[in-house]
């Protein structure tokens, strides 16, 4: 990909944005004054007044008082974080080494390009914004330093394609300032359990396996459901998510879920003891890595002629290729919070822009940057800072149908730990094109 002139402009633009800092207003130190002269008689003690109780905010959505407020502005301050690694790429000069961008730079760069297109589009619609874009892998954009130096204090909304440790830092800051923070791409809560101002767009693994279980139970009339996992604590945790989903499911036709612990020495005989020939075998394989997934699939493929199988893999399977001859005839599925067949007007708009400006096709990260920036800034301008009571506006839909729901750390909690997009698509892998199996919520 040849983007020398584009990247040079980008560096200059991003550098300028990073140099713009809000001026801090400091109060002068109060001058110490002497008190009144001492009195010789003991003053009459004042009667203690009853403490005034702060008025309670009644009807606050999700029991978060801030969500009951309506705070609208003529112009909004937005911060966008993306890992562009500009320090590494342009360490010596503004020329791109080898005239090709390193692969590790592209996801963050393309997220930024999509976000920039969304901002330009909103500006043409008359939306007034002050936007700060930060390369969170650059030294001068260190998140902890930005917070410490109060450079984010005036921000109204944060959108971040970030992971740990920036996720926790931005989440804590957003909670303290009571502003919304959209975690745009990281499929994990990062251990955060107490921030109703954090919105997770890229659904967590727990939500994925719950959706798989739901689809397996309701999508097949007569079935044999198996979890096939390796003997690790991590994959045992995934299996527990499936079993918990089974326990919570209120469905009179649900089938029991059995667990198969697989290892390299598992024999065909041991495996076939769990399979049934007279009904579909629904196999939920918990391996996230390609090597482990393919090793298990080879063992299953040897049985495909005798036992009908529908194999459900993890969300990481979306980028895996199963072109080996032994996998021919296997019906494979994976889950994803995103599905874009790129036939809608928004997709065509993004595709045409990238073709004209960058002479390339937009990646999924570019689509995500465009969609999430446009969607959440639109909410901000429609409902103000606290748009949380109406996160899933159908009229704002672009490529993705969002279904943000409150997630609670434990039963009985009154305040959400965070909000998460619970809309999961079940997608069947095809030879050249993947197919969406379930409808949007």
């Amino acid at each position: 990909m040849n983007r020398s002139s584009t990247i040079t402009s980008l560096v200059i633009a991003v550098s300028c944005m990073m140099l713009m800092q809000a001026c801090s207003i400091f109060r002068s130190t109060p001058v110490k004054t002497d008190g009144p002269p001492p009195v010789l008689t003991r003053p009459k003690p004042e009667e203690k007044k009853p403490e005034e109780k702060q008025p309670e905010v009644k009807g606050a959505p999700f029991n978060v008082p801030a969500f009951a407020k309506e705070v609208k502005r003529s112009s909004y301050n937005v911060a966008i974080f993306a890992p562009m690694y500009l320090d590494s790429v342009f360490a010596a000069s503004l020329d791109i080494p080898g005239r090709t961008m390193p692969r590790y730079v592209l996801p963050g760069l393309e997220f930024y390009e999509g976000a920039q297109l969304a901002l330009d589009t909103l500006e043409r619609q008359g939306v007034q914004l002050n936007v700060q874009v930060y390369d969170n892998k650059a030294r001068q954009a260190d998140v902890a330093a930005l917070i410490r130096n109060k450079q984010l204090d005036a921000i109204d909304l944060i959108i971040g394609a970030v992971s740990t440790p920036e996720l926790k830092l931005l989440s804590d800051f957003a909670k303290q300032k009571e502003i919304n923070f959209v975690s745009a791409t990281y499929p994990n809560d990062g251990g955060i359990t107490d921030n109703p101002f954090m919105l997770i767009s890229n659904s967590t693994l727990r939500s994925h396996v719950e959706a798989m279980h739901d689809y397996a139970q309701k999508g097949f009339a007569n079935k044999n459901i198996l979890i096939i996992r390796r003997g690790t604590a991590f994959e045992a945790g995934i299996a527990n998510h499936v079993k918990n989903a089974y326990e919570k499911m209120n469905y009179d036709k649900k089938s029991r879920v059995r667990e198969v612990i697989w290892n390299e020495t598992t024999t065909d005989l041991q495996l076939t003891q769990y399979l049934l020939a007279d009904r579909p075998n629904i196999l939920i394989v918990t391996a996230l890595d390609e090597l482990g997934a393919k090793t298990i699939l080879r063992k299953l493929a040897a049985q495909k002629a005798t036992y009908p199988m529908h194999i459900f893999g993890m969300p990481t399977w979306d980028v895996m290729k199963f072109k080996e001859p032994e996998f021919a005839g296997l019906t494979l599925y994976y889950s994803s919070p995103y599905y874009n067949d790129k036939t809608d007007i928004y997709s065509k708009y993004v595709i045409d822009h990238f073709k004209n400006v960058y002479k390339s096709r937009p990646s999924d990260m570019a689509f995500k940057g465009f969609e999430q920036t446009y969607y959440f800034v639109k909410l901000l301008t429609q409902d103000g800072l606290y748009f949380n009571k109406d996160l899933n506006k159908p009229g704002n839909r672009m490529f993705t149908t969002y279904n943000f729901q409150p997630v609670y750390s434990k039963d009985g909690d009154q305040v959400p730990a965070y909000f998460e997009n619970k809309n999961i698509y079940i997608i069947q892998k095809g030879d050249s094109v993947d197919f969406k199996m379930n409808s949007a919520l």
Side-chain angles (χ1 to χ4, degrees):
M1 186 180 296
N2 189 340
R3 296 185 179 172
S4 178
S5 60
T6 301
I7 298 303
T8 301
S9 301
L10 172 63
V11 173
I12 295 172
V14 173
S15 300
C16 290
M17 284 184 282
M18 291 177 178
L19 289 173
M20 293 190 294
Q21 302 177 4
C23 294
S24 301
I25 300 175
F26 297 95
R27 295 182 180 178
S28 57
T29 305
V31 179
K32 183 177 180 181
T33 59
D34 293 330
V39 295
L40 300 177
T41 58
R42 186 186 298 270
K44 183 179 179 180
E46 295 182 2
E47 293 183 5
K48 188 175 182 181
K49 295 181 180 180
E51 293 183 2
E52 294 184 5
K53 293 185 177 180
Q54 294 293 328
E56 294 182 0
V57 180
K58 295 184 178 180
F62 306 103
N63 296 301
V64 180
F67 292 173
K69 302 175 185 177
E70 184 176 282
V71 182
K72 293 187 175 181
R73 311 192 197 284
S74 59
S75 177
Y76 293 94
N77 301 319
V78 179
I80 296 177
F81 286 83
M84 292 181 280
Y85 297 91
L86 298 182
D87 280 355
S88 301
V89 177
F90 302 104
S93 70
L94 294 181
D95 292 329
I96 302 173
R99 305 196 63 80
T100 301
M101 291 297 292
R103 292 183 65 85
Y104 66 86
V105 172
L106 297 181
L109 175 60
E110 289 167 343
F111 183 90
Y112 161 76
E113 290 169 344
Q116 186 61 60
L117 174 59
L119 294 169
D120 292 342
T121 305
L122 289 162
E123 184 181 17
R124 287 195 293 271
Q125 295 174 5
V127 175
Q128 299 296 315
L129 298 170
N130 299 308
V131 181
Q132 302 270 3
V133 178
Y134 297 100
D135 172 7
N136 57 279
K137 296 301 181 183
R139 288 185 297 274
Q140 63 268 36
D142 176 70
V143 173
L146 292 173
I147 294 172
R148 186 170 58 252
N149 296 332
K150 302 185 181 300
Q151 290 179 252
L152 302 179
D153 278 10
I155 295 299
D156 299 316
L157 172 68
I158 301 172
I159 301 173
V162 299
S163 57
T164 54
E166 293 93 351
L167 182 80
K168 182 69 165 61
L169 292 169
L170 289 173
S171 173
D172 289 347
F173 175 80
K175 180 184 177 183
Q176 177 195 353
K177 295 296 183 179
E178 295 192 335
I179 59 173
N180 282 309
F181 163 45
V182 180
S183 175
T185 56
Y186 192 51
N188 197 304
D189 60 23
I192 295 162
T193 59
D194 60 350
N195 185 5
F197 297 92
M198 186 170 81
L199 313 174
I200 299 177
S201 297
N202 195 5
S203 314
T204 63
L205 190 56
R206 174 181 294 183
S207 295
H208 281 272
V209 297
E210 287 173 351
M212 284 182 204
H213 170 263
D214 184 72
Y215 184 84
Q217 292 284 5
K218 295 181 178 179
F220 301 87
N222 194 18
K223 62 271 184 184
N224 174 38
I225 302 179
L226 302 174
I227 305 168
I228 300 182
R229 71 169 180 89
R230 293 172 293 189
T232 66
F234 181 77
E235 293 193 21
I238 298 175
N240 285 334
H241 292 330
V242 179
K243 289 183 280 189
N244 290 337
Y246 172 84
E247 294 296 332
K248 293 178 181 178
M249 188 179 200
N250 184 17
Y251 181 56
D252 58 0
K253 297 180 181 179
K254 68 180 182 180
S255 299
R256 67 172 180 147
V257 177
R258 294 183 295 165
E259 188 175 4
V260 180
I261 301 177
W262 186 93
N263 60 53
E264 297 288 347
T265 63
T266 298
T267 65
D268 290 342
L269 179 60
Q270 290 172 321
L271 183 60
T272 55
Q273 288 177 347
Y274 294 94
L275 300 173
L276 300 177
D278 63 344
R279 67 196 65 186
N281 294 278
I282 313 302
L283 312 175
I284 300 176
V285 179
T286 60
L288 274 74
D289 61 297
E290 185 167 353
L291 178 61
K294 288 186 174 181
T295 302
I296 294 172
L297 287 180
R298 287 189 180 91
K299 183 72 70 172
L300 294 174
Q303 308 300 327
K304 65 186 176 185
T306 306
Y307 303 98
M309 299 178 190
H310 294 265
I311 302 171
F312 289 78
M314 295 293 101
T316 52
W317 288 28
D318 65 338
V319 296
M320 297 182 192
K321 304 296 182 184
F322 299 97
K323 301 295 187 181
E324 292 84 343
E326 62 263 43
F327 300 142
L330 288 179
T331 305
L332 305 177
Y333 308 86
Y334 64 92
S335 56
S336 175
Y338 304 104
Y339 180 81
N340 184 3
D341 58 13
K342 300 180 177 61
T343 59
D344 59 279
I345 58 172
Y346 294 105
S347 295
K348 292 177 181 177
Y349 174 67
V350 176
I351 291 169
D352 288 345
H353 175 81
F354 270 70
K355 180 180 178 181
N356 294 332
V357 176
Y358 303 117
K359 312 303 179 187
S360 65
R361 292 186 61 82
S363 67
D364 285 345
M365 284 295 285
F367 281 110
K368 290 175 184 178
F370 175 82
E371 178 177 47
Q372 297 204 49
T373 302
Y374 190 95
Y375 186 88
F376 287 105
V377 173
K378 194 78 171 175
L379 282 177
L380 183 69
T381 58
Q382 289 171 336
D383 297 342
L385 263 62
Y386 303 111
F387 50 74
N388 307 69
K389 59 184 176 293
D390 197 9
L391 285 170
N392 306 307
K393 284 191 173 182
N396 289 0
R397 185 188 186 279
M398 302 180 76
F399 326 129
T400 304
T401 297
Y402 288 121
N403 180 30
F404 280 94
Q405 295 296 325
V407 175
Y408 297 91
S409 293
K410 59 182 182 296
D411 293 340
D413 282 359
Q414 298 299 309
V415 177
Y418 48 81
F419 287 79
E420 180 186 352
N421 175 27
K422 292 286 188 176
N423 187 39
I424 305 292
Y425 295 99
I426 303 300
I427 301 174
Q428 182 177 343
K429 292 192 78 71
D431 292 335
S432 57
V433 179
D434 295 347
F435 304 94
K436 180 179 65 175
M437 303 302 295
N438 58 336
S439 300
L441 296 175

